Amino acid sequence: MRAKGTPLAIEYQAIRKEGLSTQIANAIRKAILDGALSVEERLPSETELADRFGVSRATVREAMKRLAAQNLIRSERGASGGAFVNRITFDEARGDLVGTTRLLIGMNNIPFEDAIEARYLLESSCLALACENRSEDDLTAMAREISLQSGDLSDEHFCDSDVRFHSVIAKATGNPLLMFQVSGAIEAMQPLMNMLVYRLRDKKHIAGLHDRLREALGHRDSVAAQTVLEEIAAYTRQLAELRRAPKEDPAN
């Protein structure tokens, strides 16, 4: 961490004349990501930044708006106010992760099989830790979702329950970074998969697989848990293949 009184480690030099506000925002963003600017630290005033970058205050103000839109800084009024480095919460960051993942899949023609593979490999990576660290509350939360799924849920509500069920497994790891990455991936990709195959799936069959997965976690049996997750992935791929299969002509 930078000692108090030392100059801020922002790259003030070598900015081009085009897109100045973007370059200034990127320079300050880099300083935040590199740790040169710490959480809750106050940035120099607009006037000081304008002098250091050699640009107008309007250009600096535009750069600050960009940073605020990314939730990297916030402004406070008053004598002790100014622009401060913001603390991004996991919930805020997960929203960005989910949105970006969905955009990447939707805008880049990612094959459904690749999405299935990525989604279940990510969840598989946390099964052993989830089995080791799961709590009784985690098992209760999983059982609650299974009970809902065994009832008469609409397709939309079944999808929501499906996401919540698998997100509990990520939470059960007790590792906040792993939980962030895996639950974000599940929240981003599971609804897309459900949307494509919901007409074909057997909800009670899925609820049964979920119950076996919960039981494996209850026994802290990561091998059994892995086996069940692979069955769920295989079932999802099977549904995808059925969806792609040519429909028979009723006239024949």
Side-chain angles (χ1 to χ4, degrees):
M1 181 178 292
R2 180 179 59 84
K4 290 187 178 295
T6 60
L8 293 174
I10 302 174
E11 294 291 338
Y12 296 103
Q13 292 78 30
I15 62 169
R16 300 178 297 278
K17 293 298 179 184
E18 300 155 357
L20 292 177
S21 62
T22 300
Q23 295 175 63
I24 292 168
N26 287 342
I28 297 174
R29 182 176 186 274
K30 184 176 185 300
I32 293 172
L33 294 178
D34 289 347
L37 290 172
S38 55
V39 172
E40 303 299 335
E41 187 164 358
R42 181 178 178 176
L43 274 68
S45 67
E46 287 183 1
T47 300
E48 187 176 357
L49 286 171
D51 289 341
R52 294 190 183 186
F53 281 114
V55 298
S56 67
R57 285 186 61 190
T59 300
V60 169
R61 192 171 300 118
E62 181 62 30
M64 302 300 266
K65 287 180 181 178
R66 290 175 181 271
L67 292 167
Q70 297 173 44
N71 209 28
L72 290 173
I73 66 168
R74 70 177 188 281
S75 296
E76 295 184 2
R77 297 179 180 273
S80 60
F84 294 83
V85 177
N86 216 6
R87 180 184 298 278
I88 300 177
T89 67
F90 278 94
D91 285 341
E92 292 167 339
R94 187 168 62 248
D96 291 338
L97 175 63
V98 170
T100 302
T101 302
R102 288 180 179 172
L103 283 173
L104 284 172
I105 293 173
M107 299 174 72
N108 291 278
N109 297 318
I110 303 296
F112 191 40
E113 293 78 5
D114 288 356
I116 294 172
E117 181 179 52
R119 178 250 178 279
Y120 286 108
L121 279 176
L122 285 168
E123 185 170 356
S124 175
S125 70
C126 71
L127 276 182
L129 196 59
C131 285
E132 180 181 342
N133 294 335
R134 62 85 182 142
S135 67
E136 290 301 319
D137 286 344
D138 294 326
L139 297 177
T140 299
M142 295 172 77
R144 187 185 309 120
E145 299 304 332
I146 293 167
S147 177
L148 289 173
Q149 294 163 17
S150 301
D152 189 23
L153 280 182
S154 68
D155 290 317
E156 181 180 358
H157 289 154
F158 187 91
C159 173
D160 292 340
S161 177
D162 198 3
V163 170
R164 290 194 299 268
F165 175 85
H166 287 282
S167 294
V168 171
I169 296 175
K171 172 182 171 293
T173 64
N175 184 308
L177 288 175
L178 191 57
M179 175 178 142
F180 166 73
Q181 294 288 348
V182 176
S183 64
I186 291 170
E187 191 174 339
M189 289 187 269
Q190 193 69 35
L192 297 176
M193 294 176 187
N194 284 328
M195 182 175 64
L196 291 172
V197 301
Y198 74 94
R199 294 181 185 275
L200 302 168
R201 69 187 170 194
D202 183 335
K203 296 177 185 176
K204 293 193 181 300
H205 177 61
I206 294 173
L209 289 169
H210 286 172
D211 194 40
R212 286 173 54 202
L213 187 53
R214 182 200 62 80
E215 184 178 349
L217 262 72
H219 291 122
R220 304 188 190 276
D221 188 342
S222 61
V223 174
Q226 181 65 44
T227 298
V228 179
L229 188 64
E230 288 173 359
E231 288 185 42
I232 295 173
Y235 183 58
T236 307
R237 285 192 291 270
Q238 178 187 349
L239 294 178
E241 290 172 4
L242 287 173
R243 180 178 175 272
R244 283 197 309 271
K247 296 180 180 178
E248 292 185 7
D249 188 343
N252 294 332

